[in-house]
Amino acid sequence: MSELNLKKNEVIKGWAKYYLTAEVNSGFERLTAPAFSYGMSAILSKLYKEDEEEYKKALQRHLMFYNSEATWGSVIFGMTCALEEERAIMLQEGAGSEELEASADMISNLKVGLMGPLAGIGDTINHGMLRPLLLSMFIPLAAEGNWLAGVGPLLIWGVAITFLAYTLVTKGYTLGRKSVVSILKSGKLNQFIKTASVLGLFMMGALSSTYVKLVTPISWANAVGEKQLLQDVLNKIFPNILPLLVVFGIYFYIKKSGPKYVRILVSILVLSVVLSFFGIV
């Protein structure tokens, strides 16, 4: 094995430095590039220890503008380690300047080309699906005042995304530039998204039936003079039909007019006050 070959613990240590500082030093000029370069610094120091100029150029290469979702972007970090290792071996074996320059351009271009799509995947799955789903699971506990509702999501979320990022960085380093293509073509990502979507619908349905409350006090006297409640009649025909109509009404409004949440909240408040004033609900 060449002395330039990276060890797994070196890659993981570099990734950990990047992952823990991705949002610490973030500016509009470079965004998370300083954290990426910081994570790569020890790795590049080993790969280019015989050539200080190449080491400086490599650091500058990874200080160029970079921004991606840190968890799913971990695959880019692993892939970059593999490509820099490949380039360092080419340099040691006496590759020409044009070949080395092409290799450096490829590393930069792959980072730029992949950071957007992977950021989209990470934001959609992690922050648009998994996090709301996880929080929704603890809403009943929060409603009961259980302290686990405040601690549980943080612990589960931290462990889960760290494990996911660790898996992605190791896969990125093992497969190199083929890693992202392998992940996207495997079909497992789409299966995961569909599974999470179905589970999310179950959770939203359960939460809606539990926390959306609407009853009507409307009543009348029947033929024998007994008080008859409209709510009792509705419950015999279709239990909880009023909360269901509210949920579907908001759903169809969002589908037709878009996620205008402030308007929806104000409308619910106004309708609640007006209908309550007239004794309808």
Side-chain angles (χ1 to χ4, degrees):
M1 179 182 291
S2 171
E3 62 177 2
L4 294 180
N5 288 121
L6 296 172
K7 297 178 182 178
K8 182 178 180 180
N9 68 308
E10 292 173 330
V11 175
I12 297 303
K13 185 177 180 180
W15 160 76
K17 290 164 63 178
Y18 155 68
Y19 195 60
L20 293 173
T21 60
E23 300 297 335
V24 173
N25 181 18
S26 181
F28 288 112
E29 183 181 2
R30 302 181 189 274
L31 286 177
T32 59
F36 198 100
S37 183
Y38 171 60
M40 289 292 298
S41 59
I43 293 171
L44 296 175
S45 178
K46 175 180 178 177
L47 295 176
Y48 299 110
K49 61 182 178 180
E50 302 296 335
D51 194 325
E52 187 177 352
E53 286 303 315
E54 284 292 343
Y55 171 65
K56 293 178 181 179
K57 290 179 181 179
L59 281 178
Q60 292 174 352
R61 181 160 59 245
H62 296 297
L63 273 173
M64 299 301 291
F65 179 89
Y66 176 80
N67 186 40
S68 189
E69 200 275 327
T71 299
W72 284 84
S74 295
V75 72
I76 299 178
F77 189 92
M79 179 191 68
T80 302
C81 290
L83 295 179
E84 287 287 4
E85 180 183 51
E86 181 182 310
R87 185 178 182 278
I89 293 174
M90 289 169 53
L91 178 65
Q92 187 183 57
E93 294 176 349
S97 58
E98 291 185 2
E99 190 176 0
L100 291 171
E101 188 66 28
S103 177
D105 290 341
M106 180 189 67
I107 294 172
S108 298
N109 292 336
L110 279 174
K111 284 178 59 182
V112 172
L114 293 174
M115 66 182 186
L118 287 173
I121 293 173
D123 290 340
T124 300
I125 294 179
N126 287 12
H127 308 292
M129 295 174 61
L130 295 183
R131 182 185 289 177
L133 183 60
L134 176 62
L135 292 174
S136 68
M137 293 178 178
F138 284 86
I139 288 177
L141 287 178
E144 296 175 1
N146 194 316
W147 64 271
L148 286 175
V151 178
L154 296 176
L155 292 177
I156 296 174
W157 176 254
V159 172
I161 64 167
T162 301
F163 176 76
L164 174 60
Y166 173 83
T167 302
L168 289 172
V169 72
T170 53
K171 192 173 184 65
Y173 175 69
T174 302
L175 298 179
R177 75 190 77 173
K178 298 179 182 178
S179 55
V180 176
V181 176
S182 174
I183 292 172
L184 295 178
K185 285 187 175 181
S186 66
K188 293 181 180 180
L189 184 60
N190 290 332
Q191 294 175 4
F192 177 78
I193 292 175
K194 289 180 180 178
T195 301
S197 298
V198 172
L199 181 58
L201 290 173
F202 273 111
M203 290 299 301
M204 292 303 103
L207 289 172
S208 298
S209 66
T210 304
Y211 292 99
V212 178
K213 304 293 184 182
L214 182 64
V215 295
T216 176
I218 296 176
S219 63
W220 64 89
N222 60 18
V224 296
E226 295 177 345
K227 183 178 180 181
Q228 184 71 54
L229 291 173
L230 175 60
Q231 187 65 51
D232 292 339
V233 176
L234 293 175
N235 288 340
K236 293 177 182 178
I237 300 172
F238 196 137
N240 294 319
I241 188 173
L242 294 181
L244 182 66
L245 291 175
V246 171
V247 172
F248 274 103
I250 294 173
Y251 168 76
F252 286 116
Y253 178 83
I254 292 175
K255 189 174 181 181
K256 181 178 179 180
S257 303
K260 299 176 181 178
Y261 301 118
V262 175
R263 184 182 297 179
I264 292 172
L265 289 173
V266 173
S267 299
I268 291 174
L269 289 173
V270 172
L271 286 173
S272 298
V273 171
V274 173
L275 295 177
S276 177
F277 178 79
F278 287 102
I280 298 176
V281 297

